Amino acid sequence: MQNHYLANVRLLDANVARLFELQRTEANSPCRGTFWDVARGLDLAIGGVHMAKQLIEAYYAPESKFSGDARLLERARLAVEYSISHQYADGSIDLPETNFHDSCESAFSVYDLGPAYKVLKTLSRHTPAEDALEAAVRRYLNGAADAMVNLGFHTPNHRWVISAALAYCWRLLGREDCRAHIDDFLREGIDCDENGEYTERSSGVYNAICDRSLSMMARELDMPDLYEHVKRNLRMILTYIEPDNTISTINSRRQDVGKAPDWTMYYSNFLQMALVTGDGDFAWVADRMLEQLEKRPCAPYCEQFSELILNPGLRARLAEI
């Protein structure tokens, strides 16, 4: 395989450089710690933790050009505090377009902050700046955990989104109520059929989210059998790829039906399963997707970057597949 770790360091560095230009730090700014989302016309509570994830991972990635730059710790703390300021007393945040007091939006935010906190907690040298950032992160995560345990959800995939996020809260915060809530969902069984298709049949949105969620759960809960569902789905998705590298969505039950999303939305999933299984097909697809992402001016980096930071053996495995 290609060296996806170093390639993703470059992608991350490009994103962080952009965040330094965009992030508002003025004391009187209504979006202090994040930035006004011009595309949406509003700012999102999740925006702060999404920014903090990138700043934290760049600070601790040795190969990043921002590695050890103390400005990232202060910027990350401001970003997390922005998200804290948008949490309700029940720990939830809003998805302003549609969902209020939304435990699922909280779960998606933990998708970002949980892996970053794992890096921070493991590699922190406990300087005052690191400890201040960690205190803010723990405050946010505990609130989000309360929301996910006590509030409801909307759609089938949200069970696994919430469970994956709670797995981080259980692992990193030691909250047994989070594990009990996951077990309630797991007793329902995994809604992935023999072909690898999930309930919502959403090849252009929610299948990728289910794959990501089950992979997180497999790793954080030490339940490797969950990877089998992800493998089946990715094998199925390979049959949905069109010659122009878009994904067929004609089978979807969700809002992606009839659309033509870019196949690179599955990049992190194929990379993850290549590393887990050593499968050459998955590795080949991840390589091709990376080649396309590297040509784009501001591409997202892989979702399991935190694991690559923390596990040199995982980075070495890239060369073995």
Side-chain angles (χ1 to χ4, degrees), residues 56-297:
I56 292 169
E57 291 181 345
Y59 180 84
Y60 287 106
E63 293 81 3
S64 169
K65 66 183 181 182
F66 295 101
S67 180
D69 186 336
R71 295 177 299 167
L72 273 66
L73 299 176
E74 174 63 16
R75 293 284 191 116
R77 183 182 61 79
L78 287 176
V80 175
E81 288 178 350
Y82 172 83
S83 292
I84 290 172
S85 73
H86 285 67
Q87 276 183 307
Y88 292 106
D90 61 12
S92 67
I93 57 177
D94 291 338
L95 176 60
E97 300 97 315
T98 54
N99 303 327
F100 303 96
H101 287 267
D102 184 13
S103 68
C104 306
E105 187 76 347
S106 297
F108 280 115
S109 73
V110 176
Y111 259 34
D112 282 343
L113 201 55
Y117 180 45
K118 191 174 181 180
V119 171
L120 171 62
K121 189 173 183 179
T122 303
L123 300 180
S124 175
R125 294 176 293 275
H126 293 289
T127 64
E130 288 172 306
D131 288 346
L133 174 57
E134 182 173 357
V137 170
R138 287 184 68 90
R139 179 181 172 187
Y140 182 85
L141 289 176
N142 271 302
D146 290 341
M148 291 185 286
V149 167
N150 296 315
L151 303 179
F153 60 94
H154 304 92
T155 62
N157 75 86
H158 284 162
R159 293 169 299 163
W160 312 129
V161 175
I162 290 171
S163 294
L166 288 173
Y168 278 109
C169 294
W170 170 69
R171 177 73 68 186
L172 298 171
L173 303 176
R175 290 188 49 162
E176 292 301 325
D177 58 338
C178 295
R179 181 58 194 259
H181 203 63
I182 295 169
D183 290 341
D184 286 342
F185 288 135
L186 285 172
R187 277 190 284 271
E188 298 179 7
I190 308 299
D191 58 323
C192 184
D193 68 19
E194 67 276 10
N195 298 313
E197 185 62 281
Y198 296 105
T199 299
E200 293 166 287
R201 303 195 314 225
S202 176
S203 56
V205 180
Y206 296 107
N207 284 11
I209 289 172
C210 288
D211 288 344
R212 182 185 179 192
S213 298
L214 294 177
S215 292
M216 287 179 172
M217 293 166 65
R219 182 177 62 245
E220 298 303 321
L221 301 175
D222 192 21
M223 298 181 67
D225 287 351
L226 294 178
Y227 285 127
E228 294 303 315
H229 306 289
V230 181
K231 285 194 289 185
R232 287 202 311 281
N233 181 257
L234 294 182
R235 287 284 177 196
M236 185 197 77
I237 289 298
L238 287 177
T239 71
Y240 282 32
I241 306 302
E242 303 285 6
D244 63 351
N245 291 334
T246 60
I247 303 169
S248 172
T249 58
I250 197 169
N251 197 42
S252 177
R253 290 172 168 167
R254 295 301 305 273
Q255 68 267 33
D256 56 314
V257 63
K259 297 182 180 178
D262 188 292
W263 75 326
T264 58
M265 64 177 291
Y266 282 90
Y267 166 60
S268 293
N269 291 319
F270 277 101
L271 175 59
Q272 170 76 18
M273 294 313 297
L275 289 168
V276 168
T277 66
D279 188 290
D281 291 344
F282 292 160
W284 184 90
V285 173
D287 280 353
R288 301 292 80 72
M289 290 177 171
L290 177 62
E291 289 170 358
Q292 293 182 17
L293 289 169
E294 286 193 291
K295 295 175 183 176
R296 299 174 186 176

